[in-house]
Amino acid sequence: MARHPEPPRPGTPPQQAPQQQAWTRSEPEPPAVPEPFAVPVPPARRPRTAAGRTASALCLVLGLGLFTGAATGALINHDPAAVGTTQGAYARAGDLWHSVPVDTLLPPVVSRPGAGPGGADRTYTRIGVAPAAGCAGAFDPLLAKVLAPVGCVQVLRATYVDATSSRVTTVGLLVTGGDAAGMSALNHRWNSEHLGSRLDLMPHPVAFPGTAAASFGDAQRASWTVSVSATLPVVVYAVSGFADGRPVPEPQPAAAATAPGATSAPAQAGLGTDVLVLAADLDARLRKAVTTDPASSQGAS
């Protein structure tokens, strides 16, 4: 198989001052037309056993997996093709970045009892919310190129710290301009080519000066997940690292970091669990926002 040269890794994105403000509409930036390229298909991952599946996982709609504790080592993936969506829900998903309050999608506190290893509770506090922005600088160049066919309307991002103040996680929502066929095609490519395990397809974190995430840059990325929806114009992602700013020479995708018996630094620290829990929470809130009658959801949080 031909090897493609790994593109140069961009530098750490500029730090942004903490903001917790309502998103405002801005004209979407037209996506650049990508040059044709092919991403090599990595070796197929080992199939999960039936024992690794449990009903205690959070319900997902965009194909996210959630680690539910060391006792079972569960990593559940729901088939995004099985999730239907109405035209109204599809349209609302593309418009929610300015029609839904920031606290509805990215709340000040995320609490998920029993979601950690061994059934431990997980609680995360929001450090800061990045202003709504276009795709420029949100992703590594190759990841931006992979996502380019569906375009970019807005990127919404917030960074959280865990209850021990030892781990930080940026969770984000890319609102695309793609139609249903384009999203389905991108979802198929992302999953069939196992692009979620590529080290050069990690999203950028967002640092906030004067907080536990002050040193959260590209070198600190330890685990991540990216989920391309097959039925909505969105991509949900999260990336985690250590709050002390230590570099992580061998980042590990969340699916691997939460696998039974994983012994890597991200796995031992629970960083894979962090990204899956926070991405799943955003996913669930997104689902509720687009499937709830707008007339009955005024003021919902």
Side-chain angles (χ1 to χ4, degrees):
M1 180 182 297
R3 297 177 60 88
H4 294 264
E6 182 177 353
R9 188 173 299 283
T12 302
Q15 296 182 337
Q16 305 173 9
Q19 299 189 42
Q20 297 185 11
Q21 61 183 41
W23 294 311
T24 57
R25 180 187 290 275
S26 62
E27 292 300 320
E29 300 177 3
V33 178
E35 299 175 359
F37 80 106
V39 177
V41 178
R45 292 173 291 185
R46 294 182 299 175
R48 290 183 294 277
T49 64
R53 303 180 181 277
T54 176
S56 63
L58 295 178
C59 179
L60 306 181
V61 297
L62 305 182
L64 289 171
L66 178 60
F67 179 77
T68 61
T72 59
L75 184 65
I76 296 182
N77 288 298
H78 292 259
D79 180 8
V83 179
T85 184
T86 65
Q87 290 184 347
Y90 195 95
R92 286 195 293 275
D95 201 49
L96 57 78
W97 66 270
H98 62 82
S99 63
V100 175
V102 58
D103 287 353
T104 298
L105 296 177
L106 299 167
V109 176
V110 173
S111 181
R112 285 293 175 264
D121 296 344
R122 288 295 206 196
T123 299
Y124 305 90
T125 301
R126 193 178 66 195
I127 289 175
V129 178
C135 288
F139 307 110
D140 278 351
L142 187 55
L143 178 54
K145 199 170 187 179
V146 171
L147 299 174
V150 294
C152 171
V153 176
Q154 282 291 346
V155 179
L156 315 178
R157 297 169 292 175
T159 297
Y160 290 81
V161 63
D162 78 304
T164 67
S165 297
S166 61
R167 306 184 308 275
V168 289
T169 304
T170 293
V171 59
L173 174 67
L174 163 63
V175 182
T176 79
D179 58 17
M183 291 304 302
S184 178
L186 182 59
N187 167 273
H188 176 74
R189 181 189 182 194
W190 186 267
N191 293 319
S192 65
E193 298 183 22
H194 306 290
L195 301 185
S197 63
R198 289 280 300 257
L199 290 173
D200 51 2
L201 296 178
M202 283 191 289
H204 287 309
V206 180
F208 289 90
T211 72
S215 301
F216 194 17
D218 285 352
Q220 286 70 41
R221 293 180 292 188
S223 190
W224 77 99
T225 185
V226 178
S227 180
V228 178
S229 175
T231 56
L232 294 172
V234 297
V235 176
V236 174
Y237 68 90
V239 57
S240 63
F242 293 101
D244 61 10
R246 76 184 77 169
V248 180
E250 297 183 8
Q252 192 172 36
T258 56
T263 59
S264 66
Q268 293 292 318
L271 289 161
T273 303
D274 292 341
V275 296
L276 291 181
V277 170
L278 284 167
D281 184 79
L282 173 56
D283 177 272
R285 292 172 183 276
L286 167 68
R287 177 189 183 188
K288 181 178 179 180
V290 301
T291 58
T292 300
D293 181 0
S296 65
S297 61
Q298 296 297 323
S301 58

